[in-house]
Each structure stands twice: as C-alpha cells, then as structure tokens.
Amino acid sequence: SSSKMTIIVHYLVNSRAQRVLWLLEELEVPYEVKRYERVNLLAPPELRKVHPLGVSPVITDGDVTVAESGAIVEYLITKYGKGKLQPPESGWLDNLYCEFLCSKVAAKSRDNIELPLSTSSDLHYAEGTLMPLLVWKLILTVTPNKVPFLIRPVARGVCNTLIARMIDVRLVDNMDLIEEQLKKHPGGWFAGGSEPTAADFMMLFPMEVFAKRSPKPTPESFNAYVNMIHDRPAYKRALEKGGSYAYAKL
C-alpha cells in the first residue's frame, strides 16, 4: 500500500547526499539508499533517469521527486519533522542565513497535501556562497592533470595563481565568518538550541570539506563542530547506510 512506501535516496558517492542520510536518521524515517559511483569525478548517466539534470542528492518519496539539498532538507523537516529540528526563536535568522533555501518550490505528497517550502529566490550561505568556492577550488586543482602533459606545468601555474588570488583569500574570509558564528552559540549548533536544525544539515558538508581543502589550518571550533556531529548515533547510522565516505574522518 502507499502508506508503506519508502523514501529512496539517490546517493552519489562522496557528495552532499550524506547530509540527507544524517537528516533521515535524526528524524527516524525509514529509507533506502541507491548508491551511484562517480565517473571521472562526475555523476553517472543513470542519475538522469531520476532527474533530468543528473544531480545528487535526489529523493523519491512515493510519487514525489525532490532534488537539491536545500529543498530536500526543507521537504523532509516539513513533512516528517513533527516539530523536531526547529531553531529556537532567537536562532531563527541564523538558521535562515546558513541554510540553502530552494527557489519558490512547492511539492505535494501522495496524499495531495501541499507542503509549504521556502519561497526565497536566493541561494543562502551554505550553497550560495561557501560551496561554490570549494567547488571551484576542486576544479582548479584537478584541471592541470586533465590537459596534455607538455602544458601541465603552465596550466598548474595558472590554476595555482587563480586559487591563491581569487579563491583562498575568500575562503579565509569565510572561515573567519564561520568561526564568529560558532562563537555566538556555545551549545555548538549554528542556530543555537539543543538539537541540529536545517542550518546544520546544510553546513556540515562544507565544514567537512574544509578539512581537506582549507588554505590554512582549520580552527579548533571547526573540528569540534564536525566531531560533535560525527559522534552522534544518527550520523554513525547514516555512514553505515551510505557506505564509504571520504569525509568521514577529519
């Protein structure tokens, strides 16, 4: 019957999809994982059968398909949260800022219940500012190895210059901003309170990636934040469900 339908997470290896598994474990919602291996660092063609852009994460929940991390996080908390994982009133704005909100997205459940998702047209901090910098650093890091051998030294010099002058300086600014944000809430969560909120599900992946691609040693507060989450039983269960994950350890 439709009531027994299970959420399917289309999980690309070493991707933002890990945050979705963690969220589902915190919500204690049953789900299945369909795992996809990367092809030349990219998502495989099979993902286009699920979503025309071939992106991950994507979830299917009965007859509903939701793509983009921010939309998925809002969808799941809205439909299955039952009041859990909400920011305290004092942390509402911090939650909004750190979260990546979808652009005028709404979905309907299989019971035809309209699910109100955010109508913000902006990409907020985690995906709108932070992740593009980290992705560009990855692209510029691997590009020299993709060009003909004879011009690799030149390509490496150009890419390293771009990283130093255009990416790393902004990453350092962002690291300072994040460190100040973490200091605001001694409990450790980005929006305060006693439990993670959408902001934390969105921020964990870039915080994990920082440990690999940071232009300077990550502050102790970054490591404490990531370790706090990695120590949660729900996160450990998510790792077991998702399989090997490059950012499971700092």
Side-chain angles (χ1 to χ4, degrees):
S1 67
S2 61
S3 63
K4 294 183 180 179
M5 286 184 177
T6 300
I7 294 169
I8 298 175
V9 180
H10 298 272
Y11 180 98
L12 181 64
V13 173
N14 297 330
S15 75
R16 297 162 171 88
Q18 187 65 35
R19 58 167 60 124
V20 178
L21 303 191
W22 173 38
L23 171 56
L24 285 164
E25 290 292 342
E26 292 284 358
L27 291 172
E28 300 181 302
V29 174
Y31 65 96
E32 297 176 5
V33 177
K34 186 170 183 181
R35 188 175 167 97
Y36 299 81
E37 299 294 331
R38 292 179 180 270
V39 179
N40 295 323
L41 298 179
L42 302 176
E46 303 92 90
L47 263 174
R48 291 187 180 274
K49 297 176 183 177
V50 183
H51 189 278
L53 296 180
V55 296
S56 175
V58 180
I59 66 167
T60 51
D61 183 15
D63 58 359
V64 173
T65 298
V66 187
E68 298 291 353
S69 296
I72 293 169
V73 167
E74 286 208 19
Y75 173 87
L76 292 173
I77 292 177
T78 299
K79 185 175 180 182
Y80 296 105
K82 299 178 181 178
K84 293 177 61 180
L85 310 181
Q86 297 295 328
E89 185 175 350
S90 61
W92 179 82
L93 189 58
D94 289 329
N95 186 63
L96 183 69
Y97 180 62
C98 293
E99 187 185 357
F100 162 38
L101 305 179
C102 55
S103 175
K104 298 183 178 179
V105 175
K108 290 188 177 180
S109 69
R110 54 180 173 266
D111 299 318
N112 208 38
I113 300 171
E114 187 162 353
L115 300 168
L117 304 182
S118 172
T119 57
S120 171
S121 61
D122 296 324
L123 307 183
H124 294 282
Y125 182 68
E127 294 289 334
T129 297
L130 192 53
M131 279 309 301
L133 291 172
L134 293 168
V135 170
W136 268 111
K137 183 165 185 175
L138 174 62
I139 291 171
L140 292 170
T141 299
V142 302
T143 293
N145 295 326
K146 303 294 183 181
V147 303
F149 180 78
L150 290 177
I151 64 171
R152 285 182 188 176
V154 175
R156 187 169 289 109
V158 170
C159 288
N160 287 344
T161 298
L162 290 172
I163 289 172
R165 295 184 179 181
M166 300 184 67
I167 305 297
D168 281 352
V169 290
R170 295 188 64 194
L171 284 176
V172 170
D173 288 342
N174 279 268
M175 290 175 71
D176 293 341
L177 176 66
I178 294 169
E179 190 170 17
E180 288 301 313
Q181 182 68 22
L182 288 172
K183 288 178 181 177
K184 288 174 60 177
H185 302 295
W189 302 115
F190 272 102
S194 60
E195 62 180 355
T197 67
D200 299 290
F201 295 108
M202 295 306 298
M203 285 296 294
L204 175 60
F205 184 74
M207 294 288 279
E208 290 173 325
V209 173
F210 256 125
K212 303 284 187 180
R213 302 181 201 157
S214 171
K216 68 176 185 177
T218 51
E220 181 54 38
S221 59
F222 283 42
N223 299 334
Y225 175 81
V226 173
N227 285 328
M228 174 181 68
I229 293 172
H230 284 187
D231 286 340
R232 291 178 71 82
Y235 188 87
K236 293 178 180 179
R237 294 194 301 269
L239 281 179
E240 292 176 2
K241 290 277 189 71
S244 61
Y245 178 57
Y247 305 108
K249 294 182 179 180
L250 293 180

